[in-house]
Amino acid sequence: MAEDECKHLLPTRQCDLCRPPPPGVLMQGWRTKGGRAYHNDPECKWLQKGQNSLRVIGRDTHEVVPVRWDRVNPAKLQPCEYCCTPAWLQRHGKAQVAAGKACLVHSEDEWWEGTVIWEEARRPDGLWWGTATFHKHGEVLVEVRSQHDLRAR
């Protein structure tokens, strides 16, 4: 499936402003005005450590505020190496649906919310296939599915 263009007329994955979050990064996160990191958790240990270090040397700290990944300038804000990892999300019960296109996944005669990352080209059977990640009965499942089991959301 051809990659969609973003509002800046670039392939979505190539545009720094429209790119999906990397693995381990939630769409909704946290930052401080003067900080250089994007955090999944407003109480991240590394975020608190940075704030405390500033207090110790007598510098002002800034309020921790919510921010969306698609509003982050990659030249100024990078994912936190502590709380923006798949392992951290798993440990804290915040397993996410993998980055990709929002979709519905057909499984057991029901449609489940998820995302899909499409393969680069059609398979010999003439169908588009993609890796679907979806929540089903409280579990996060990752399965390769054809276009017949996937619908745009």
Side-chain angles (χ1 to χ4, degrees):
M1 182 167 274
E3 189 170 14
D4 291 334
E5 283 186 348
C6 73
K7 63 185 176 185
H8 305 103
L9 304 178
L10 293 169
T12 303
R13 292 196 177 276
Q14 291 180 8
C15 180
D16 283 339
L17 298 174
C18 298
R19 74 205 187 291
V25 175
L26 298 173
M27 262 321 263
Q28 179 65 49
W30 305 88
R31 69 164 301 179
T32 62
K33 182 180 176 184
R36 295 183 303 242
Y38 179 94
H39 298 273
N40 283 332
D41 183 356
E43 297 181 14
C44 169
K45 287 181 184 179
W46 286 19
L47 174 58
Q48 298 302 320
K49 183 179 175 181
Q51 295 281 68
N52 290 338
S53 294
L54 289 172
R55 285 186 198 101
V56 166
I57 61 172
R59 305 262 327 257
D60 290 333
T61 60
H62 297 282
E63 179 182 3
V64 178
V65 295
V67 63
R68 289 186 46 82
W69 177 255
D70 56 5
R71 302 285 186 247
V72 169
N73 180 337
K76 296 184 180 188
L77 214 56
Q78 294 295 311
C80 170
E81 293 177 13
Y82 179 77
C83 70
C84 289
T85 65
W88 186 93
L89 291 175
Q90 196 72 24
R91 280 193 316 271
H92 290 82
K94 297 183 183 204
Q96 72 188 102
V97 173
K101 291 254 180 231
C103 73
L104 295 173
V105 181
H106 190 245
S107 178
E108 295 180 5
D109 292 325
E110 289 188 52
W111 290 94
W112 305 87
E113 290 194 22
T115 61
V116 62
I117 298 175
W118 293 102
E119 294 179 355
E120 296 290 320
R122 291 180 191 264
R123 289 191 178 179
D125 62 9
L127 299 176
W128 287 103
W129 288 77
T131 301
T133 305
F134 58 104
H135 290 280
K136 179 178 162 183
H137 300 303
E139 289 185 63
V140 177
L141 301 173
V142 179
E143 299 176 0
V144 176
R145 297 297 188 104
S146 80
Q147 66 192 51
H148 294 303
D149 291 328
L150 303 166
R151 296 287 180 260
R153 190 164 42 113

